Amino acid sequence: MTALDKALVAPKNLNEDELAKMLASTDEGLWREIFAAAREVKAKCGKTEVLPRGLIECSNVCAKNCLYCGIRKGNDKTVRYRMPEEDVLGCINEVRRRGYPAVAFQAGEIEGEANTAYYERHIAMCRGLEVTLSLGEQTEEVYRRWKDAGAMRYLIRIETSNRELYAKIHPAECSFERRLGCIRMLKRLGYVTGSGVMIGLPGQTIDDLAHDIVFYGDENLDMVGMGPYVAHPDSLMPDSRYQLPTTNYQLSLRMIALTRLYLWNVNIVAATALEALDPENGRRRGIDAGANVIMPNLTPEKFRVEYDLYPGKVKT
Ligand code: SAH
Ligand code: SF4
């Protein structure tokens, strides 16, 4: 039985080596079969309907300095904003007007009472909508308060499941253990929990990516949101001579397909970064690869231009 046949029998029916071998393949014919199989599994799990969540990028103020990110604290070219409540309310109304069932608040990472209360007020404005948060690492008390206010899902990417690579792309004060602890805490608190990685990071290998997929399963994630790494001109990223078998964009589509084949019944986001690299087709190709969630960006233009995580993002 081929690895692909095995994947179609049951979830988690591939091991890390098999995932790595498939990911390393440059056989286009095999990839066509893998994408078709991912769609088959998606249909079998009743996930063919595309679920929209209106994305609101509430603030680009961030206390962290992740080396890859355009809005990291140390980038003094970024003009900082925090959306006034009336603008947030306008976005929430737009979510309702479009008939989306869900809203997602995303922002730089800030801790403290003012920030906690700011999102409590936003969540309270979302009655009747499902609320996803992507607001980084917080204390258990804060996660609890947001849950009590009505939030249902939380997305916090582990960025890479390789601890050494994590240390290379973050300043020393960022802790892999704390981030992982947050994922587990969110699950324990009853959030529908999502995580994911960036694909094509300098120094990242095929084996790392195969390990990321196994990590999603080991952590029992409900959602996966991952996308291509896109170099930002103001980043502090190290260089790497390691060459992945294809572009970050293509590899991201392949990661979506293999994640669907490995986990089966999860929600997978067609990441905005796919659109940054392929504005015409990125989202659709993510869906065709096995994703079933899209997050249309509803942030008003005047704020959106400053939420510049990576090049190409803003114009989408
Ligand atoms: N501050 C929160 C949420 C906003 S950042 C947090 O960090 O969790 C959302 C995601 O943007 C990050 O998790 C990271 O995976 C992604 N991101 C940042 N810079 C990027 C880049 N240069 N290329 C691709 N994705 C990037
Ligand atoms: Fe801040 Fe998130 Fe960017 Fe890190 S990835 S610098 S936490 S916005």
Side-chain angles (χ1 to χ4, degrees):
M1 200 187 254
T2 66
L4 188 52
D5 293 334
K6 266 175 74 182
L8 287 167
V9 174
K12 298 191 189 175
N13 209 26
L14 297 171
N15 61 37
E16 203 171 311
D17 277 351
E18 288 166 326
L19 286 166
K21 279 210 186 78
M22 287 164 96
L23 260 183
S25 171
T26 53
D27 177 345
E28 290 298 331
L30 174 66
W31 279 109
R32 270 191 297 278
E33 285 176 40
I34 293 175
F35 287 124
R39 285 191 293 273
E40 189 182 323
V41 166
K42 186 165 79 159
K44 198 146 57 181
C45 299
K47 298 261 177 207
T48 39
E49 188 192 350
V50 178
L51 307 172
R53 296 179 188 154
L55 176 65
I56 308 174
E57 296 157 335
C58 297
S59 171
N60 67 356
V61 182
C62 189
K64 286 175 76 180
N65 211 25
C66 307
L67 305 190
Y68 43 84
C69 179
I71 65 168
R72 65 191 172 76
K73 181 184 173 197
N75 185 7
D76 53 19
K77 292 186 195 149
T78 303
V79 179
R80 304 290 164 172
Y81 73 86
R82 196 169 82 144
M83 277 172 66
E85 251 145 79
E86 61 266 27
D87 289 297
V88 177
L89 186 58
C91 293
I92 295 170
N93 288 337
E94 178 62 15
V95 172
R96 295 187 198 282
R97 200 188 61 76
R98 294 186 184 203
Y100 295 167
V103 59
F105 296 119
Q106 198 191 86
E109 189 177 304
I110 295 289
E111 292 186 74
E113 178 54 34
N115 189 65
T116 306
Y118 174 76
Y119 289 103
E120 271 177 338
R121 291 193 296 274
H122 295 359
I123 297 164
M125 293 192 280
C126 294
R127 193 152 307 156
L129 296 171
E130 298 166 0
V131 176
T132 302
L133 301 177
S134 184
L135 305 170
E137 295 162 36
Q138 304 285 341
T139 63
E140 177 162 349
E141 192 209 324
V142 172
Y143 287 148
R144 218 185 272 284
R145 276 176 60 180
W146 287 339
K147 183 117 201 316
D148 290 344
M152 159 182 190
R153 306 190 184 93
Y154 207 102
L155 260 173
I156 177 167
R157 286 185 175 177
I158 193 70
E159 314 298 0
T160 168
S161 65
N162 175 336
R163 284 175 167 74
E164 284 91 60
L165 180 58
Y166 186 93
K168 284 189 190 136
I169 62 170
H170 291 96
E173 64 272 18
C174 290
S175 151
F176 179 91
E177 297 309 325
R178 183 177 186 216
R179 198 135 179 114
L180 180 57
C182 285
I183 295 171
R184 293 177 177 168
M185 193 191 291
L186 288 158
K187 279 231 67 145
R188 209 169 53 242
L189 292 173
Y191 276 95
V192 178
T193 305
S195 192
V197 300
M198 284 178 285
I199 294 154
L201 289 163
Q204 190 177 42
T205 65
I206 284 297
D207 288 344
D208 290 333
L209 292 169
H211 186 261
D212 291 335
I213 296 176
V214 173
F215 168 90
Y216 303 153
D218 290 349
E219 296 301 322
N220 270 313
L221 296 179
D222 309 293
M223 303 183 282
V224 176
M226 58 189 163
Y229 164 67
V230 189
H232 192 286
D234 302 322
S235 91
L236 302 172
M237 286 292 270
D239 276 335
S240 158
R241 265 160 292 169
Y242 181 80
Q243 280 298 304
L244 289 162
T246 180
T247 61
N248 295 356
Y249 175 71
Q250 191 62 254
L251 203 54
S252 298
L253 297 172
R254 293 176 178 185
M255 281 289 285
I256 289 175
L258 288 184
T259 299
R260 173 64 69 198
L261 280 179
Y262 185 72
L263 295 178
W264 284 33
N265 196 13
V266 284
N267 285 332
I268 302 180
V269 186
T272 324
L274 289 173
E275 285 177 79
L277 296 184
D278 180 2
E280 292 272 290
N281 299 312
R283 185 188 288 175
R284 184 186 53 74
R285 292 194 65 193
I287 296 293
D288 285 349
N292 67 314
V293 175
I294 56 169
M295 296 172 74
N297 194 342
L298 302 182
T299 313
E301 186 74 19
K302 61 182 166 178
F303 302 114
R304 199 195 294 200
V305 293
E306 296 303 338
Y307 200 82
D308 177 32
L309 298 176
Y310 43 81
K313 183 184 166 303
V314 165
K315 61 176 181 290
T316 69

